[in-house]
């Protein structure tokens, strides 16, 4: 029986490695952006619309306000208003040339009506992933993917961490389980450790 599409929509371990290394071959600001997508599991538009005032580095949280709207599936961030920042996320944010004005978007180079830059950089990281795969994983391939696959990779990992293997064909039950899956600070540190373990670098540093 053919698997439902949503059950296959996550990166394989070797694809996570390719994604991480490919991000490092982009400019610093885009490297930070794509790595934060993977580390946080946030939707692209949520990360794009985050402002300087949303970051509480003292409390190690990102204030999501009302931007993370509840969705029926794969969107467990609906009710929470803050996301814990892992050590890697804090380190990445520190690498950006962030201005002091609190109303400014952290990723002002992506925000706005014209997101052609995001489109081009997404195409670039896909190409770089294929190149990394050819270098490090001969005989393996990188499947076609969209930006939603980045956050769903974390969603499925969270499910498994909670003992919920994502092979349930009852979509409503799966959606209910995902709706209760909100990542804690410990979850996100463990996820960062998992990524860096695959990449082969120090598990307490994002580089």
């Amino acid at each position: 029986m053919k698997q439902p599409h949503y059950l296959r929509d996550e990166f394989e371990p070797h694809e996570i490695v390719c994604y991480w290394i490919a991000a490092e071959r982009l400019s610093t600001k885009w490297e930070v952006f794509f790595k934060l997508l993977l580390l946080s599991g946030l939707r692209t538009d949520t990360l794009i619309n985050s402002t300087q005032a949303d970051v509480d580095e003292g409390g190690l949280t990102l204030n999501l306000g009302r931007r993370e709207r509840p969705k029926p599936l794969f969107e467990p961030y609906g009710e929470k208003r803050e996301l814990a920042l892992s050590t890697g996320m804090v380190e990445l944010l520190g690498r950006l040339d962030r201005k002091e004005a609190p109303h400014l978007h952290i990723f002002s180079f992506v925000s706005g009506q014209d997101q052609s830059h995001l489109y081009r950089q997404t195409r670039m990281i896909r190409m770089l992933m294929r190149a990394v795969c050819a270098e490090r994983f001969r005989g393996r391939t990188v499947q076609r993917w969209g930006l939603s696959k980045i956050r769903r990779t974390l969603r499925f990992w969270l499910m498994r961490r909670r003992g919920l293997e994502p092979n349930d064909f009852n979509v409503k039950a799966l959606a209910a389980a995902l709706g209760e899956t909100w990542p804690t600070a410990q979850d996100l540190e463990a996820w960062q450790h998992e990524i860096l373990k695959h990449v082969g670098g120090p598990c307490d540093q994002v580089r």
Side-chain angles (χ1 to χ4, degrees):
M1 180 183 294
K2 186 177 180 181
Q3 284 186 317
H5 175 267
Y6 66 84
L7 289 183
R8 304 194 309 273
D9 200 14
E10 62 178 316
F11 284 138
E12 296 291 333
H14 78 282
E15 291 175 317
I16 292 176
V17 175
C18 294
Y19 176 93
W20 194 263
I21 296 174
E24 293 175 347
R25 297 183 181 181
L26 301 172
S27 64
T28 297
K29 61 185 182 182
W30 286 104
E31 175 192 354
V32 170
F33 179 77
F34 281 108
K35 284 185 175 181
L36 282 175
L37 283 179
L38 183 62
L39 287 171
S40 69
L42 290 174
R43 291 202 303 271
T44 308
D45 59 344
T46 299
L47 192 58
I48 288 173
N49 290 318
S50 298
T51 65
Q52 311 291 350
D54 292 331
V55 180
D56 178 6
E57 294 185 48
L60 298 180
T61 58
L62 178 66
N63 178 23
L64 302 178
R66 297 184 178 276
R67 290 193 302 279
E68 277 290 335
R69 301 176 301 279
K71 292 289 184 75
L73 190 59
F74 300 115
E75 300 297 344
Y77 292 171
E79 298 303 320
K80 293 285 184 174
R81 292 293 177 259
E82 292 183 342
L83 178 72
L85 295 175
S86 69
T87 54
M89 288 187 240
V90 173
E91 182 181 336
L92 286 167
L93 286 168
R95 294 174 56 196
L96 292 176
D97 181 18
R98 290 163 51 198
K99 302 184 184 304
E100 294 301 321
H103 66 281
L104 291 179
H105 290 98
I106 300 171
F107 298 99
S108 57
F109 55 91
V110 189
S111 60
Q113 296 297 318
D114 180 12
Q115 293 193 11
S116 59
H117 293 302
L118 175 60
Y119 174 75
R120 286 196 294 270
Q121 293 297 317
T122 304
R123 287 187 60 189
M124 177 63 71
I125 196 171
R126 288 184 185 126
M127 290 188 293
L128 289 171
M129 281 181 69
R130 290 194 291 270
V132 173
C133 187
E135 294 167 10
R136 297 190 54 155
F137 302 101
R138 292 188 178 182
R140 306 294 296 272
T141 60
V142 173
Q143 299 297 317
R144 294 179 61 183
W145 58 273
L147 290 171
S148 63
K149 191 170 191 174
I150 303 172
R151 68 176 182 271
R152 290 179 182 180
T153 299
L154 172 55
R155 301 296 198 271
F156 283 125
W157 181 86
L158 283 170
M159 286 185 65
R160 294 186 181 102
R161 182 170 167 85
R162 286 159 172 70
L164 300 169
E165 182 61 32
N167 58 6
D168 190 349
F169 284 80
N170 186 331
V171 176
K172 290 185 178 180
L174 181 60
L178 281 168
E180 298 172 357
T181 305
W182 175 258
T184 65
Q186 292 77 18
D187 286 331
L188 294 177
E189 287 292 342
W191 173 234
Q192 174 183 310
H193 187 280
E194 185 75 12
I195 292 171
L196 296 175
K197 181 180 69 176
H198 286 304
V199 174
C203 291
D204 59 346
Q205 299 177 6
V206 294
R207 287 188 64 85

